Amino acid sequence: MKDFLRILRRFVPPYKKFMVWNVIFNILSAILNLFSFALIIPILNILFKISDETYVYTDWTFAPFSFEAWKATPELLKNNFFWFVSDMIETKGGSFTLIILGVFLIVSTFLKVGTMYMAFYTMIPIRTGVVRDIRNQINRKITELPLGFFSEERKGDIIARVSGDVNEIETSIMSSLDMLFKNPILILIYLIGMIAISWQLTLFVFILLPIAGYAMGQVGKKLKRKSFEGQQQWGYLMSQIEETLGGLRVIKAFNAEEKI
């Protein structure tokens, strides 16, 4: 984790503008996704007549510094939304209401996909820019190293670091940036929505969460060990290819193709 944070501090700051836009689009995407999910509930109620509960409109005065207001806001929004749908069913009919809700669902889904696309779009300059900066720095380091270094090290290892290791850093940076900027936003907004819909099911999820987290942690440790072994083998393979290409005339001169 310390190595990852050090890499972020060194290479990500030049791309702060794209990071801000990525956070904004991730927030919009999470809110629209939650709104699309909430629209399915009244649609199912209309289609299957699941609930006959009546709703009464409640005036809403939001106080930003009142804990009670924050606590009551989700329930008030839910009540007024279902009142609006019930009133539309009584005045306009179930078919008209279903069409309106379907149109809203299509529009919200389109906006959700659009914001998700923009979130990925703003992440691309960070990804390509960080990889470019790392490779430029490696290139400068290679040209500054003394000749004695290259006599002791295999060229394949150096090539593997420039190609394979940088790709591994690229993959880890992208997944870690999602972990830092996207996942906390999704968790927070989805958690608020889950509590507003059913706090009992939310409590059940939290009970099972440590078990799932432990299982995923064990799998992650095994995959990390295998990934390290794979990087070592990749360096050895690149060394073999480089040595073979460099000594190809000698190999052919001694008819050693089968041995190689």
Side-chain angles (χ1 to χ4, degrees), residues 83-97:
W83 170 84
F84 176 76
V85 174
S86 301
D87 183 69
M88 186 182 295
I89 293 174
E90 293 179 0
T91 56
K92 302 293 184 178
S95 300
F96 178 81
T97 305

Side-chain angles (χ1 to χ4, degrees), residues 59-217:
D59 290 330
W60 180 45
T61 55
F62 180 67
F65 300 104
S66 174
F67 176 75
E68 295 297 330
W70 281 98
K71 183 178 179 182
T73 296
E75 191 64 30
L76 286 175
L77 291 176
K78 178 181 176 182
N79 175 81
N80 290 343
F81 175 71
F82 280 105
W83 170 84
F84 176 76
V85 174
S86 301
D87 183 69
M88 186 182 295
I89 293 174
E90 293 179 0
T91 56
K92 302 293 184 178
S95 300
F96 178 81
T97 305
L98 188 61
I99 292 174
I100 295 298
L101 290 176
V103 171
F104 272 106
L105 182 61
I106 293 172
V107 172
S108 63
T109 303
F110 176 77
L111 293 176
K112 178 191 70 174
V113 174
T115 52
M116 290 177 62
Y117 170 79
M118 291 304 299
F120 286 117
Y121 182 81
T122 53
M123 185 63 72
I124 290 175
I126 303 176
R127 175 178 182 174
T128 56
V130 169
V131 172
R132 179 194 59 207
D133 295 341
I134 291 175
R135 284 187 171 145
N136 285 336
Q137 190 169 355
I138 292 175
N139 182 68
R140 287 194 297 270
K141 185 66 175 179
I142 290 174
T143 55
E144 293 172 358
L145 288 171
L147 292 176
F149 175 84
F150 298 98
S151 61
E152 297 176 359
E153 295 289 332
R154 292 181 299 183
K155 294 181 181 179
D157 288 337
I158 300 175
I159 297 173
R161 291 181 184 276
V162 176
S163 58
D165 288 4
V166 173
N167 290 334
E168 290 291 333
I169 293 176
E170 176 185 1
T171 304
S172 62
I173 285 177
M174 291 303 298
S175 60
S176 300
L177 286 176
D178 282 341
M179 179 184 67
L180 288 177
F181 301 114
K182 181 180 179 180
N183 293 346
I185 296 171
L186 296 179
I187 291 172
L188 180 61
I189 295 178
Y190 290 164
L191 182 61
I192 295 173
M194 289 167 61
I195 294 174
I197 294 173
S198 175
W199 66 268
Q200 295 91 341
L201 288 176
T202 305
L203 180 61
F204 178 73
V205 170
F206 274 106
I207 293 174
L208 294 180
L209 193 60
I211 301 174
Y214 176 77
M216 288 187 290

